[in-house]
Each structure stands twice: as structure tokens, then as C-alpha cells.
Amino acid sequence: MTNWPLPLPMQRALAAARAAADAGEVPIGAVIVKDGRVIAEAHNSPRTDHDPTAHAEILAIRRAAQALGDERLTDCELWVTLEPCAMCAGAIAHARIARLYYAASDPKGGAVEHGARVFEQEQCLHRPEVYSGIGEAEAAELLRGFFRERRQ
């Protein structure tokens, strides 16, 4: 859908999103990179895990923290296929993630450029650099296709 190759972390996040869809989960994938190396990846699995907090971002953050042996993910990048919700944006701030890259905007549930705009709040103790729209068409089509199938 794009005319240029997507960065590898977003390609992997999209692959994770497709795996989520195959598992019957909302197709959202996340990848965490440190020093150019993928250290964690995950996809949505709240239904599978019976855990409302099992969003792709939260699971990737947990795995990255375990891999690094540190709750602070300083100098890490998070690549995710959909604009994070308020819960995930809060976790991103608490983890001190340096850069957030996301594909599709989420006007209904997003909390970065929509809704709560978590990183703009005075109470937010850490604000990552934010880059949006990378792989947007692919991520949006995955989501539209997933929900179109569910409605039929």
C-alpha cells in the first residue's frame, strides 16, 4: 500500500497485528527497539489471556523490561500499529520510552493525538517523541478488514 518500504520494526509490528487477527484478537502489534535491535514484540491478547490489560503495548513493555532487567526503557523506541489508548500511553510514560512510532490514528480510543492526549497533560512526568502515520494505510486496512469480517 505504501510506495516505499516500511521500517523493519513497523513491518514486524504489522506481522504481529496479523497474528492477533488470526487468533481472533483485535489486530494490533507492538515492537520495542533498543540500539537498533528488537528486544520485545507482542500483539493484543486480552481475550486469549482473559486480561483487559493485555494490549500489545503493555505486553511488549513487560517483555522489554524483563529482557533489560529494568523497569525503565530509556533510549527505547516503541513501534505500534494503532495510536495508544490512555492506559498504554500512561505505561509508555512510566516506562520512560524515548520515542513512539504509531501507524493509524484512533479518533475513538486513542489518547496521544485524540481524547485524553496523555502526553500533553501537566501531570505527565515523561513525554516521548511521537511520530505517527508510518504504515497507516496497512494498519488501518487490517483493522477495517477485521471488523468487517466480524460484522458479517
Side-chain angles (χ1 to χ4, degrees), residues 101-124:
Y101 299 87
Y102 67 88
S105 293
D106 185 359
K108 290 182 181 177
V112 176
E113 69 175 302
H114 297 93
R117 297 178 188 244
V118 171
F119 304 133
E120 295 177 19
Q121 301 306 312
E122 183 180 325
Q123 297 83 1
C124 186

Side-chain angles (χ1 to χ4, degrees), residues 26-97:
V26 175
I28 300 170
V31 170
I32 296 183
V33 174
K34 182 169 178 134
D35 299 327
R37 186 175 60 88
V38 172
I39 60 169
E41 56 190 288
H43 63 71
N44 264 16
S45 63
R47 289 179 177 200
T48 302
D49 294 351
H50 308 291
D51 178 357
T53 69
H55 289 197
E57 301 95 320
I58 299 291
L59 296 174
I61 287 169
R62 288 176 183 160
R63 291 171 186 167
Q66 287 295 310
L68 296 176
D70 194 344
E71 78 278 10
R72 298 282 170 97
L73 302 181
T74 309
D75 298 325
C76 288
E77 303 171 349
L78 171 61
W79 295 73
V80 64
T81 58
L82 186 66
E83 177 182 353
C85 69
M87 174 181 69
C88 293
I92 290 164
H94 283 282
R96 307 297 197 266
I97 289 174

Side-chain angles (χ1 to χ4, degrees), residues 120-149:
E120 295 177 19
Q121 301 306 312
E122 183 180 325
Q123 297 83 1
C124 186
L125 300 175
H126 172 77
R127 292 166 181 82
E129 295 173 29
V130 177
Y131 305 91
S132 62
I134 302 164
E136 180 174 16
E138 293 89 336
E141 183 50 41
L142 264 173
L143 287 159
R144 278 193 298 272
F146 177 82
F147 287 111
R148 186 171 40 246
E149 265 185 37

